[in-house]
Amino acid sequence: MKFRHLLAALLIVSPLAHATSFDCKKASTYVEKTICSSPLLGKLDDALADNYRDMLATNLGDGPDNKSLKKEQRAWIAQRNKCTTEKCLVDLYRKRVDDVCDAPVVSGVHAACVQSSDIQ
């Protein structure tokens, strides 16, 4: 009996269970709701968040807070928020997941990034 309740709880939560970089319970825009309802977009969002965080921790040579990476990310989010289809979002996410890690590291070790081709 407990197993059925656990299974039912997992099924109810499953559309929101995949990881995202934001709280899906607070999703209000088309883009946020689409990311939360798509397992693929949830994985891409999570990979992008990880890659971005890890690259922010590296020395990209433009100051301690990596201003250019942050500026690029804000511009990308503005572009992403204009998407009106899931395909648009997937295409933008795949490109950004890879682009975030293309920046050369000035000193230290380059972050170990996830590639979009690894996400299905």
Side-chain angles (χ1 to χ4, degrees):
M1 190 69 138
K2 286 182 182 182
F3 178 74
R4 276 196 240 170
H5 292 293
L6 177 60
L7 183 59
L10 289 173
L11 290 174
I12 290 169
V13 182
S14 65
L16 305 176
H18 54 271
T20 58
S21 62
F22 58 91
D23 185 352
C24 282
K25 293 176 187 170
K26 296 179 182 177
S28 61
T29 66
Y30 167 79
V31 168
E32 291 170 341
K33 290 176 183 178
T34 303
I35 292 166
C36 290
S37 67
S38 167
L40 174 59
L41 281 168
K43 290 176 193 175
L44 288 166
D45 185 73
D46 190 44
L48 177 56
D50 289 346
N51 286 358
Y52 180 72
R53 180 196 65 238
D54 292 347
M55 287 301 287
L56 280 177
T58 64
N59 181 4
L60 301 177
D62 63 344
D65 57 355
N66 292 320
K67 290 181 239 175
S68 64
L69 182 61
K70 289 180 179 180
K71 183 179 178 182
E72 290 170 7
Q73 188 70 3
R74 284 189 298 273
W76 178 83
I77 289 170
Q79 181 183 11
R80 177 203 71 178
N81 288 344
K82 293 178 183 176
C83 281
T84 57
T85 67
E86 187 171 338
K87 181 179 180 347
C88 174
L89 288 167
V90 169
D91 292 347
L92 280 177
Y93 263 95
R94 286 200 181 279
K95 182 167 178 9
R96 186 66 182 157
V97 163
D98 295 334
D99 287 352
V100 164
C101 294
D102 285 344
V105 174
V106 175
S107 64
V109 178
H110 195 287
C113 291
V114 174
Q115 297 299 307
S116 67
S117 58
D118 295 332
I119 301 168
Q120 300 299 321

